[in-house]
Every structure is written in structure tokens, then in C-alpha cells.
Amino acid sequence: MTVHDSNLMETIIRCKQEKGIYIIAHYYQRDEIQDIADFIGDSYAMAVNARNSDSNIILVAGVDFMAESAAILCPGKTILSPEPAATCPMANSIKTEDILRFKEEHPDGLVVSYVNTPAEVKAYSDICCTSSNAEKILSLLPAERPIFFIPDQNLAGNVSSKLARSVTAFPSSCPIHAALTREEIIKKKQDHPEAALLVHPECDPAVVELADYVGSTAGILSYTRTSPLQEFIIATESGIRHAIWQYRPEVRLIMASDEMICPNMKSITLEKILYSIENLETVVTVPEEISKKAVLALEKMIELTSN
Ligand code: 13P
Ligand code: SF4
């Protein structure tokens, strides 16, 4: 870490304390951002933590759908984004028209929306899910109702095959996770026979099949915390390594591919966070008519997950 970074971090910590700003970050954030955050989590934990926080100003260091979820779940609180252009191409690929078409063809259908979706798509969804609870949510939905699982076809395929439940998947995927190939992974496993392979469910089912553990970023972190192993092949975004090394600094973490870097997550910097908390910009808002419908899908997810 440079002297410039540590000075910035000190200034951010002082400024957020003076203004009572609470910083929530995703595990894919840069190391130095994870270090100044008050809470670091996967997308589910970030949403629940924002909702339960007693701070009136929350800065979300993550992509736009994460800040939107916080804004929807925390009416009356100020949600700040340090980089509103940080987005998720997969989330943006699904449109409300896609949902309306499904509902027209399947009037009794249910729309399960991964949190990686814009607020207006959540407003048309019956329930949200994240990678940490998708399996549980899907297992609790009535067996006779057709399911439209949006927008990640890999998560849809991985969860539905585990539950032997067929779903209609929207044909989109995360460009970072979906790019990993089975051949690459087989080679990594040959090169590192002692390592456990930990895979995010946004990866292709052909990759997931080879995994020793499949789960959300929080799941991967907790697996490494309790495993007796010393080597892990990581098939998710590179930022998770910093979080793992906080608990297990001695372990060897081998990236499944050097390309697993989300440019949107990495577009957030310490400089942008300092600007955001000094100027209280950019405030994330969701129109009330969208928010009051989208909150139902998010709250339903939290209700089913916490029971
Ligand atoms: P989780 O942190 O919920 O595993 O999600 C991964 C992701 O890609 C978020 O954009
Ligand atoms: Fe979207 Fe993939 Fe980046 Fe997550 S890692 S924000 S799913 S592009």
C-alpha cells in the first residue's frame, strides 16, 4: 500500500466518523476499500446489513444494483454511491418486457429475480434471490408453478439441476464468471492436486461439476475459514482473496484464471469514496412507485431466507 493510499484511508475514516456515514462494501472491492469499510459482505448480507443499520447515511461500495437494493430497503436513509457508473452488464441485460412476455405466456408463473437486476425489474418480480439463498428460495416455491429465473442462466442451471426442478432461464450470464472453461479448471487441478476448488455458482455448470465447494462469496470465505487445507483454487472475482487472507494469511490462493477481475467493481477507488463522503454525492434514489413494488420481492427473499 502506498503512503498516498494510507493518507487517504485515514482521511476517509475521520470524515465518515465525523459525518456518521456507514460504509458497506462487497468482497470484490479493492483491498484498501475493504479495509476502510464498516461492513463487508456478499450481496445478500449487504442488503440485510443496510436494512438493519441504524446509520442515516450509508455509502455502498459495490455496483449500482447493490446501492439500489439498499435504497429500496432503507426508505428515509441517504444512500451514497461513490461511482454511479459502476454497473453489472448481466443485470442490465434483462428488461421488464422479458418478464411481461413470460407472464403473458404463463399467467400462473413466478418470477425469481437474482438481486443482480435493476430496480424496475425487481418491481415486476415475485421474489428476489442471491447466490447464497437461490437454492433455498427455489425449493420453497410451489412445485406446480412455472418459474422464470432471471437473469443468470448459470445460477439458474446450477440450482435447478441440484433440486431437479425445471425452470425457464433468461439467457444471460456474468462475463467474468462465465468466461471460465472446464478445460482451464482441469488444468489448474492437475497443476495443484492438493488444492480444493471453490466455485461461485455464476460459473458454467460444467465448471461447477468439478468443484469441491460451490457457494456465494460469503460461502467461499467461510469454507476457507474452517477448512484444514492450505491451498485453494478460487473460481470467483479476485477481490475475495483479501477477505480470505484476513482470517487465513498463511493459505495459498490460486486464481482459476487471471482474468477474474470485474472492471465495474474495481472502478470504485479511495479517491471516489472520499469525494462521495465529503460532498454527500451521489445520492441513489429509486422512484417511489418502483421502490414500493420492488421492496416486496426483496423482503420476501429476506423472510424466506431467515426462516
Ligand atoms: P455474491 O457476493 O452474492 O456471491 O455475488 C456475486 C456477484 O457477482 C455480485 O455481483
Ligand atoms: Fe456483475 Fe459479474 Fe461484476 Fe458481479 S462480477 S458485478 S455479476 S459483472
Side-chain angles (χ1 to χ4, degrees):
M1 183 177 312
T2 63
V3 176
H4 174 70
D5 277 358
S6 51
N7 288 343
L8 270 174
M9 287 165 74
E10 271 176 37
T11 314
I12 290 171
I13 290 166
R14 200 172 47 245
C15 184
K16 81 179 165 87
Q17 279 165 355
E18 277 165 16
K19 298 195 178 196
I21 299 174
Y22 185 68
I23 300 185
I24 294 181
H26 189 264
Y27 292 121
Y28 297 166
Q29 289 295 291
R30 293 167 184 268
D31 300 358
E32 61 275 18
I33 293 178
Q34 296 188 36
D35 289 344
I36 51 98
D38 297 293
F39 179 81
I40 318 167
D42 65 2
S43 9
Y44 178 73
M46 287 173 81
V48 174
N49 192 268
R51 175 176 170 266
N52 297 345
S53 145
D54 47 21
S55 180
N56 283 325
I57 312 177
I58 300 173
L59 179 141
V60 178
V63 291
D64 54 3
F65 72 81
M66 295 173 169
E68 273 187 355
S69 293
I72 293 165
L73 288 165
C74 309
K77 289 184 188 173
T78 301
I79 307 298
L80 296 174
S81 167
E83 176 47 280
T87 191
C88 171
M90 173 173 69
N92 300 333
S93 63
I94 176 95
K95 305 283 175 252
T96 52
E97 299 82 70
D98 300 307
I99 299 184
L100 294 175
R101 205 174 313 115
F102 172 81
K103 289 208 163 179
E104 211 174 281
E105 288 163 14
H106 306 276
D108 59 337
L110 291 172
V111 178
V112 180
S113 170
Y114 193 26
V115 281
N116 299 43
T117 43
E120 58 270 27
V121 166
K122 290 187 178 77
Y124 282 90
S125 302
D126 294 288
I127 188 163
C128 287
C129 73
T130 70
S131 48
S132 67
N133 58 25
E135 192 182 324
K136 179 168 187 188
I137 302 267
L138 193 57
S139 74
L140 293 172
L141 299 178
E144 68 285 1
R145 307 277 298 270
I147 303 289
F148 191 26
F149 196 106
I150 59 170
D152 187 350
Q153 61 186 355
N154 285 340
L155 182 64
N158 288 319
V159 172
S160 64
S161 66
K162 194 147 179 226
L163 295 172
R165 164 136 200 201
S166 82
V167 301
T168 303
F170 184 73
S172 185
S173 51
C174 162
I176 316 301
H177 290 87
L180 261 190
T181 64
R182 188 176 167 90
E183 292 63 41
E184 265 174 300
I185 296 292
I186 290 172
K187 170 88 178 54
K188 283 279 169 187
K189 278 171 77 92
Q190 278 163 355
D191 292 347
H192 305 280
E194 303 297 322
L197 171 65
L198 315 183
V199 178
H200 194 279
E202 288 179 4
C203 292
D204 192 301
V207 168
V208 165
E209 255 175 32
L210 302 170
D212 295 294
Y213 173 80
V214 187
S216 74
T217 48
I220 289 175
L221 177 61
S222 100
Y223 184 92
T224 57
R225 280 180 78 170
T226 51
S227 165
L229 297 177
Q230 293 297 319
E231 269 188 64
F232 303 93
I233 302 168
I234 302 291
T236 192
E237 211 272 355
S238 59
I240 189 73
R241 290 176 302 177
H242 187 65
I244 296 172
W245 278 324
Q246 301 308 303
Y247 297 101
R248 300 277 316 269
E250 80 290 2
V251 292
R252 181 157 184 229
L253 303 177
I254 303 132
M255 285 308 295
S257 148
D258 293 339
E259 313 292 310
M260 298 202 78
I261 297 168
C262 175
N264 279 285
M265 286 284 187
K266 283 350 191 218
S267 70
I268 297 171
T269 59
L270 286 175
E271 285 82 358
K272 290 177 187 176
I273 290 184
L274 182 58
Y275 181 88
S276 181
I277 60 175
E278 278 182 334
N279 298 284
L280 298 186
E281 284 180 24
T282 297
V283 176
V284 178
T285 54
V286 176
E288 205 190 325
E289 65 278 13
I290 293 177
S291 185
K292 70 179 192 233
K293 288 189 198 151
V295 75
L296 301 175
L298 281 167
E299 289 288 2
K300 188 91 200 136
M301 164 183 79
I302 295 171
E303 184 197 320
L304 291 194
T305 305
S306 42
N307 283 333

